[in-house]
């Protein structure tokens, strides 16, 4: 078992075109670090700043829950979870 | 160039008219790599604003779960301007996250002073990549079947 990351089209350049990649971790932050280890560059498209936060215009969901309401990068994750990353759609 | 079928083109215009004076928004999706903008998905403007549009977090997820299940991708991202020309605003440029999408903007500005509008609508299409806007021609076809797949592949 592992945790699955569903990769949005614009980030598939970091995964060799793969739509989904697997990783491990106890929190979302650990999971992103772990996935970034095998697919360098992914992390900086999802996370920014110091201390690290989710990028403002990226939505991240764990099992369909928007993590902004579940603790952001500290959200706990476990084997079998599905993490979805999506660029926000907005404009003026 | 954006190649779009008449029915989808009409649906986008109708949505813009229906939501005027607020901005309307949505996407048109198609099988990955096909270039066919064939599934019209109007999305509620969570901002309900005449000057801003956004997909709610829930709608964004739902659209993408459907895409995932169907092996589709976004071909067109559209929204309306209800008081200004059909050209990307600074916000549109800053927030354009999909270099592979056609960004369609329709304008109902001829009805800017009106609470409802049924008149002419401008329809223009752009690529927006790393802050650079490139307008493109729009070709309206009766059906995608009449377009060579090699031509659609670039869509």
């Amino acid at each position: 078992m592992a945790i699955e990351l569903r990769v949005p089209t614009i980030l598939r350049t970091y995964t060799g075109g793969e739509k989904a990649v697997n990783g491990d971790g106890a929190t979302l932050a650990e999971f992103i670090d772990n996935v970034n280890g095998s697919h360098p560059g992914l992390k900086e498209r999802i996370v920014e700043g110091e201390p690290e936060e989710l990028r403002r215009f990226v939505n991240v969901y764990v099992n369909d829950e928007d993590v902004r309401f579940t603790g952001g990068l500290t959200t706990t994750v476990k084997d079998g979870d599905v993490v979805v990353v999506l660029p926000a759609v907005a404009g003026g | 160039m954006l190649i779009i079928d008449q029915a989808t083109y009409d649906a986008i215009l109708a949505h813009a008219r229906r939501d005027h004076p607020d901005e309307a928004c949505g996407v048109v999706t198609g099988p990955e790599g096909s270039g066919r903008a064939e599934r019209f998905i109007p999305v509620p403007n969570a901002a309900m604003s005449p000057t801003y549009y956004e997909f709610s977090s829930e709608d964004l997820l739902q659209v993408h779960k459907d895409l995932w299940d169907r092996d589709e991708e976004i071909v067109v991202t559209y929204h309306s301007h209800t008081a200004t020309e059909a050209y990307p605003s600074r916000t549109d440029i800053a927030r354009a996250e999909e270099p592979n999408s056609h960004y369609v903007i329709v304008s109902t500005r001829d009805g800017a002073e009106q609470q409802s509008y049924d008149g002419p609508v401008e329809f223009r299409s752009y690529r927006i990549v790393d802050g650079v806007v490139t307008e493109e021609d729009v070709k309206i076809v009766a059906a995608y079947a009449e377009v060579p797949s090699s031509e659609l592949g670039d869509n």
Side-chain angles (χ1 to χ4, degrees):
Chain A
M1 288 288 281
I3 301 162
E4 176 182 290
L5 174 68
R6 294 192 174 178
V7 186
T9 317
I10 56 165
L11 298 189
R12 288 181 196 164
T13 51
Y14 300 100
T15 62
E18 291 294 321
K19 292 175 66 171
V21 296
N22 289 333
D24 291 301
T27 65
L28 181 60
E30 287 181 18
F31 172 67
I32 292 171
D33 278 335
N34 180 259
V35 169
N36 192 65
S38 40
H39 305 283
L42 265 182
K43 179 178 177 177
E44 67 183 57
R45 301 297 301 273
I46 304 171
V47 169
E48 66 185 349
E50 187 62 48
E52 290 175 346
E53 291 179 20
L54 290 170
R55 292 181 77 99
R56 196 170 152 209
F57 300 127
V58 170
N59 289 32
V60 181
Y61 308 82
V62 174
N63 300 337
D64 296 350
E65 287 284 330
D66 187 328
V67 301
R68 288 186 202 285
F69 306 112
T70 60
L73 287 167
T74 67
T75 300
T76 56
V77 291
K78 62 183 186 309
D79 271 2
D81 282 354
V82 175
V83 177
V84 174
V85 173
L86 298 174
V89 179
Chain B
M1 180 168 65
L2 168 65
I3 299 170
I4 190 166
D5 71 345
Q6 185 73 50
T8 304
Y9 177 89
D10 290 344
I12 292 173
L13 264 53
H15 186 201
R17 290 193 179 102
R18 191 166 66 242
D19 282 13
H20 181 92
D22 283 348
E23 293 193 5
C25 55
V27 293
V28 190
T29 68
E32 288 176 4
S34 71
R36 295 201 305 271
E38 61 186 18
R39 200 161 62 88
F40 171 72
I41 308 174
V43 176
N45 178 359
M48 290 190 294
S49 162
T51 57
Y52 190 71
Y53 79 95
E54 64 182 342
F55 292 9
S56 73
S57 173
E58 296 79 8
D59 286 336
L60 182 71
L61 179 64
Q62 192 55 54
V63 165
H64 280 270
K65 287 179 73 171
D66 274 1
L67 294 180
W68 186 271
D69 292 341
R70 295 163 181 256
D71 287 327
E72 288 186 354
E73 62 189 352
I74 292 172
V75 181
V76 171
T77 305
Y78 74 87
H79 77 286
S80 65
H81 287 172
T82 60
T84 57
E85 72 172 319
Y87 190 85
S89 66
R90 274 182 299 175
T91 311
D92 291 334
I93 297 165
R95 302 293 307 275
E97 300 275 358
E98 293 278 7
N100 296 323
S101 177
H102 298 271
Y103 282 91
V104 163
I105 303 179
V106 298
S107 175
T108 55
R109 63 174 165 172
D110 286 349
E113 304 300 319
Q114 303 167 23
Q115 284 309 298
S116 65
Y117 183 66
D118 198 30
V121 179
E122 288 175 86
F123 183 111
R124 294 165 70 179
S125 184
Y126 307 87
R127 295 285 189 176
I128 306 175
V129 180
D130 295 333
V132 177
V133 176
T134 307
E135 185 161 11
E136 58 186 0
D137 291 336
V138 176
K139 178 178 177 179
I140 301 168
V141 298
Y144 295 118
E146 70 186 43
V147 182
S149 58
S150 58
E151 196 177 333
L152 271 173
D154 293 333
N155 209 18

